[in-house]
Amino acid sequence: MTERSPRPAGPADALTDPIRQFLEAPRFATIATLDADGDPHQAVIWYALDGDDLLINSRVGRVWPQNLDGDPRVSIAVYDTERPYHCVMLKGRATRIHEGADAERDIMDLARRYGRDPSRYGGQQRATYRVTIEHAFDYAD
């Protein structure tokens, strides 16, 4: 991502070195948010580790960003495709930090991280969220 934005305070020790190393790789993740009626909603996302936080980005109008705007609580599972029974589970709170041109730059940075063509995302209405990680759990087989 292009620049660090201010973040709410969170536990500095939520990410151990092994978890941090795991999250530094461009892995796919599943995000779980809560609909307005309390039902869970899940989606597959890209992310980038930014200090002790994750940065995530979505097209405006999708369900999970709308959910985060109403209830910032989030659970994220990051999977290891080489070891299918290994994953890192994260819980925290998300804050919308970028919209417009800044969020468009963020998705282009994520596209490069994941080996995709950044130009595919030009001109899209996007929103970037900072996830302050409150709990992290490394589940190994």
Side-chain angles (χ1 to χ4, degrees), residues 64-121:
W64 70 261
Q66 291 176 359
N67 287 350
L68 290 179
D69 290 337
D71 184 336
R73 293 176 296 168
V74 64
S75 179
I76 297 173
V78 183
Y79 296 93
D80 185 344
T81 57
E82 294 177 15
R83 292 175 50 207
Y85 294 104
H86 178 221
C87 66
V88 166
M89 311 297 276
L90 307 166
K91 288 185 181 181
R93 296 185 182 271
T95 304
R96 187 185 286 224
I97 60 168
H98 293 148
E99 297 176 10
D102 289 337
E104 189 175 330
R105 278 191 295 276
D106 292 341
I107 190 59
M108 289 181 173
D109 288 346
L110 281 171
R112 281 187 281 279
R113 171 177 158 78
Y114 282 85
R116 301 295 297 260
D117 177 6
S119 67
R120 293 182 58 189
Y121 303 94

Side-chain angles (χ1 to χ4, degrees), residues 15-51:
L15 298 181
T16 63
D17 287 339
I19 290 175
R20 185 179 302 284
Q21 289 173 356
F22 181 85
L23 294 174
E24 286 174 352
R27 303 175 193 277
F28 291 95
T30 302
I31 186 170
T33 61
L34 295 172
D35 290 338
D37 64 3
D39 284 345
H41 177 82
Q42 293 181 318
V44 176
I45 61 166
W46 292 343
Y47 69 90
L49 187 61
D50 185 33

Side-chain angles (χ1 to χ4, degrees), residues 120-131:
R120 293 182 58 189
Y121 303 94
Q124 294 181 355
Q125 285 190 313
R126 308 289 304 192
T128 301
Y129 293 80
R130 175 176 299 283
V131 177

